[in-house]
Amino acid sequence: MKQALIIIDMQNGFLNPESPLCIRDARATVPACAKVIAACREAGVPVIFVNRAYRADGSDVEHTRYKVWAEGGKPLTPGSTGPLSVENPPEFGRCPQDYEIIKPRYSAFFQTSLDLLLRRLGVDTVLLTGTTTPNCIRTTCYDAISLDYKVVVLSDCCSSNTDEIQRANMLDMANVGAEICASEAFLPTLKLAVRPGTLSDLDRCVEIEEACFPKEQAASRESIRSRLAAYPEHILIGELNGTITGYAMGPAISTETIADEMFADTSCHSGENPYQSVFSLAVHPDFQRRGYGRILLKALIALARQEGRRAVTLTCRAEKLDYYASFGFENRGVSSSVHGGVVWYDMVLPL
């Protein structure tokens, strides 16, 4: 599953009471929307703002809305600021990786490039937030289903002018197959999932290994394949929003320190051995600096404790000594390893 967050029409012209287009309950949803936006950015879920902007002459305003628009100060004109403006709330922030699409009518798909963008991003599930539920959210929901996307509507991140309208439209969308979910129930699903590896993970693991290590230090495709076949339960895969972000892998070995020959020999692994090794801890560059490596290593340490290992052992470069020391690893000095032609240090975490 690959998700994308879509924020529809959360602009001053629909949020501010001074605007003739203000939706009664829209402003109240800003905190929940802001929390979801921040969480999706952190999790690498694409964030797509789908906004409305009208020409100053009103030539593209819906005929059903033109009179209110013209007599109410002509809100949502391009480049506008203030209570009638096209601006999104400051609570949302705007990041360079966010996308923005301007839509001419209710549905975010109608005469826009949204479908093309989602397919290029590999998205199969859309997360709908914004205003107003009976118009823009619902029409987008129906169009998404027609285009074979899975739809999740975050109920407290959408708004209507009355509670009755909100309830009725949520029920309608649920009845056609959309999942209706409160943001507090959704947010935990964005956390990194950790699972044992399988051979189907090979291509992505090789991609990550090559992205994280110099050629002379990276494990070969055949080595990774052999490890996935020999001890998959000791290869912990981090997965987020359907994308493998990284892994922590290593066999259970008989010695307190790692020997170079072990890297190419899966027979060093046995469930009876007392030491859990860490051959590789890698997070793809696109997902680094989010704490995922720490989550994966902690999961491997927890597995070692669960299995009754005596210690966890690894080798690292000098620049990583402090990082591993923060987990409780003890520096046992320069390693005998000459892997990749560089100096390594033996680090051991007694359990």
Side-chain angles (χ1 to χ4, degrees), residues 225-348:
R225 184 198 300 276
S226 298
R227 295 173 191 178
L228 284 165
Y231 45 86
E233 70 281 4
H234 289 242
I235 299 176
L236 299 185
I237 302 291
E239 194 168 41
L240 187 71
N241 192 30
T243 299
I244 294 175
T245 63
Y247 48 79
M249 66 167 70
I253 61 177
S254 60
T255 57
E256 189 181 62
T257 57
I258 298 169
D260 281 351
E261 57 266 24
M262 295 177 180
F263 291 116
D265 182 9
T266 57
S267 68
C268 67
H269 170 76
S270 170
E272 304 303 315
N273 286 336
Y275 300 100
Q276 173 63 55
S277 69
V278 184
F279 277 10
S280 185
L281 174 65
V283 175
H284 192 279
D286 290 347
F287 296 93
Q288 290 177 2
R289 297 179 183 85
R290 302 184 190 181
Y292 295 156
R294 186 168 291 273
I295 291 171
L296 287 165
L297 183 54
K298 283 184 176 180
L300 193 59
I301 293 168
L303 177 64
R305 285 199 174 97
Q306 178 185 330
E307 294 180 339
R309 309 292 173 201
R310 190 178 303 168
V312 179
T313 181
L314 57 83
T315 60
C316 73
R317 300 287 304 277
E319 60 268 23
K320 289 291 186 178
L321 288 172
D322 289 344
Y323 175 76
Y324 288 112
S326 72
F327 292 87
F329 281 85
E330 300 169 358
N331 183 359
R332 300 294 172 83
V334 175
S335 172
S336 62
S337 174
V338 292
H339 181 67
V342 297
V343 176
W344 300 91
Y345 290 81
D346 290 322
M347 299 288 282
V348 177

Side-chain angles (χ1 to χ4, degrees), residues 158-213:
C158 301
S159 55
S160 302
N161 276 316
T162 72
D163 294 339
E164 182 181 4
I165 291 172
Q166 183 76 354
R167 284 192 299 270
N169 282 274
M170 287 295 172
L171 180 60
D172 280 347
M173 288 187 286
N175 285 340
V176 298
E179 178 185 348
I180 310 301
C181 180
S183 63
E184 289 303 313
F186 165 73
L187 287 171
T189 69
L190 293 176
K191 294 181 179 178
L192 189 73
V194 179
R195 60 168 175 79
T198 69
L199 282 170
S200 65
D201 301 321
L202 176 62
D203 288 345
R204 179 61 172 171
C205 287
V206 171
E207 179 184 353
I208 293 171
E209 185 82 3
E210 292 176 348
C212 292
F213 300 104

Side-chain angles (χ1 to χ4, degrees), residues 5-223:
L5 176 66
I6 301 177
I7 307 104
I8 301 176
D9 288 354
M10 290 296 285
Q11 303 164 262
N12 284 347
F14 293 114
L15 301 175
N16 196 298
E18 295 181 39
S19 172
L21 305 181
C22 180
I23 306 302
R24 189 196 72 176
D25 293 334
R27 181 68 211 179
T29 68
V30 167
C33 288
K35 187 181 293 187
V36 169
I37 291 167
C40 284
R41 287 183 182 132
E42 178 68 19
V45 174
V47 173
I48 304 170
F49 287 88
V50 180
N51 289 329
R52 186 71 69 93
Y54 293 126
R55 294 189 180 95
D57 64 4
S59 58
D60 57 352
V61 179
E62 300 95 322
H63 69 85
T64 54
R65 178 176 280 171
Y66 183 84
K67 187 174 188 299
V68 172
W69 176 84
E71 295 177 355
K74 300 183 177 180
L76 299 170
T77 53
S80 56
T81 60
L84 307 185
S85 74
V86 294
E87 294 174 308
N88 298 115
E91 294 94 325
F92 293 176
R94 290 301 290 270
C95 294
Q97 67 267 31
D98 295 342
Y99 299 89
E100 182 179 25
I101 289 174
I102 302 300
K103 66 182 177 67
R105 291 294 182 262
Y106 294 138
S107 172
F109 289 99
F110 182 78
Q111 293 187 2
T112 75
S113 60
L114 179 59
D115 183 45
L116 176 62
L117 172 62
L118 294 175
R119 296 190 190 281
R120 287 187 171 177
L121 293 173
V123 169
D124 59 18
T125 302
V126 294
L127 311 168
L128 298 186
T129 66
T131 196
T132 163
T133 302
N135 297 334
C136 302
I137 302 301
R138 192 169 75 165
T139 55
T140 301
C141 169
Y142 287 7
D143 282 352
I145 290 172
S146 297
L147 291 165
D148 291 327
Y149 292 100
K150 299 180 183 71
V151 176
V152 179
V153 181
L154 301 183
S155 55
D156 56 324
C157 295
C158 301
S159 55
S160 302
N161 276 316
T162 72
D163 294 339
E164 182 181 4
I165 291 172
Q166 183 76 354
R167 284 192 299 270
N169 282 274
M170 287 295 172
L171 180 60
D172 280 347
M173 288 187 286
N175 285 340
V176 298
E179 178 185 348
I180 310 301
C181 180
S183 63
E184 289 303 313
F186 165 73
L187 287 171
T189 69
L190 293 176
K191 294 181 179 178
L192 189 73
V194 179
R195 60 168 175 79
T198 69
L199 282 170
S200 65
D201 301 321
L202 176 62
D203 288 345
R204 179 61 172 171
C205 287
V206 171
E207 179 184 353
I208 293 171
E209 185 82 3
E210 292 176 348
C212 292
F213 300 104
K215 184 176 181 180
E216 61 273 12
Q217 297 175 22
S220 68
R221 181 182 185 86
E222 189 52 45
S223 291

